[in-house]
Amino acid sequence: MTDGDDITVLCVDPETATADTVANRAEIRAVPAEDVAAGREAAAATDVDCVVAEYDLPDGTGFDVFEAVRESHPNAACILYTEADRAEIDTGAFRDTVAEFLPKDSPNAGDRLVDMVHIAVVDRTQVGFPLPDDEDARLDALAAYDVESFDAVETFDRLSKLVASHFDIRVAFVGLLHEIEERFVACHGADWETLDREDSICTYAILDDEVTVIENVQADPRFAYNETLKELEIRSYAGANITTPDGTVIGELCLVHDEPRSYDDAGLADLQRFAEEVSEQLELRRRLASGEDER
């Protein structure tokens, strides 16, 4: 979904009343399906923003629907709208599935369901990481930088190697923040290619106008229980924004180390200048790839 688009809701329920209820609001388009198989087929053919499912279905459960839909639409909001009691629902096998729960017999259930859909999609309440206010516009801006088509990997490899040497740091990387993952354009000192945004420190760094420094990652409550960062031995972090010419943040130039680390003002200024160089190189290659006049 982007600004101005309708919300597309997949309603998986043998009772057609659920789809009728959801479609009562003008900006919501309901796609009905009666079971898990039909829901999976509909999700493969449709861009789904949200899925509303009954728990008991002829060929499975609502959780089976959520799992199937999120294979193709990982950011789809999930709402269990059901006649089943909480005690009847087996959530143990699906503890990683973030879903809202709304009994069909609760007061004003229909109105509450429509409001829940709107909040979950527009406010993105089920996303497991913070989002900038301009996230949709930011992703649109990022889409113009098709780095794989720029034939510029060696340039960014050299820059990341230079940055690592300058700071005597274990790992230096250029990371671009896509919708659900961070993709590493270059990474000196490690062979990382992607990282889920919910595990990425850069997801938080793009919210800050200044260089982000976390001297001890494990001491920060946001990351203290992040097992991925522990496995990657990321104990300290410094990141400077990579921006488009209009100031939109699309990624980070980062320094990470396996021990706590601090930086003085001169070091942070140097990191900022290196990030500006990355931004300029990206923009130059975007213009060349698009055939824009450089004059």
Side-chain angles (χ1 to χ4, degrees), residues 4-23:
D5 290 345
D6 288 341
I7 297 171
T8 299
V9 181
L10 174 61
C11 298
V12 184
D13 193 332
E15 299 293 331
T16 58
T18 297
D20 294 340
T21 297
V22 169

Side-chain angles (χ1 to χ4, degrees), residues 185-235:
V185 177
C187 184
H188 180 77
D191 58 357
W192 307 334
E193 295 182 356
T194 64
L195 189 65
D196 291 344
R197 275 186 67 176
E198 63 184 2
D199 292 323
S200 168
I201 300 176
C202 295
T203 290
Y204 293 83
I206 63 173
L207 304 176
D208 196 342
D209 292 336
E210 306 298 328
V211 175
T212 298
V213 176
I214 303 175
E215 295 184 4
N216 188 341
V217 170
Q218 275 70 54
D220 189 308
R222 295 172 296 179
F223 313 113
Y225 301 101
N226 188 316
E227 294 301 323
T228 299
L229 298 181
K230 291 179 182 178
E231 291 173 4
L232 296 177
E233 298 184 346
I234 296 177
R235 290 293 305 277

Side-chain angles (χ1 to χ4, degrees), residues 14 68 76 78 98-99 102 108 115 129 150 152 190 197 243 252 264 279:
C78 297
V98 179
L102 179 62
N108 303 313
D115 289 340
F129 47 84
F150 289 175
R197 275 186 67 176
T243 63
E252 296 289 315
D264 57 22
S279 300

Side-chain angles (χ1 to χ4, degrees), residues 39-113:
R40 181 181 289 109
E41 183 177 345
T46 309
D47 288 333
V48 176
D49 300 304
C50 178
V51 54
V52 175
E54 172 60 78
Y55 177 66
D56 288 313
L57 296 169
D59 55 350
T61 72
F63 284 116
D64 295 324
V65 175
F66 299 154
E67 188 174 42
V69 171
R70 281 193 166 160
E71 288 179 1
S72 53
H73 308 286
N75 279 349
C78 297
I79 301 173
L80 198 65
Y81 184 57
T82 180
E83 294 177 349
D85 294 331
R86 283 184 182 271
E88 302 173 13
I89 297 173
D90 178 17
T91 60
F94 299 94
R95 60 175 59 92
D96 293 333
T97 301
V98 179
E100 304 290 345
F101 173 83
L102 179 62
K104 288 182 178 178
D105 61 358
S106 60
N108 303 313
D111 291 339
R112 290 176 61 191
L113 174 62

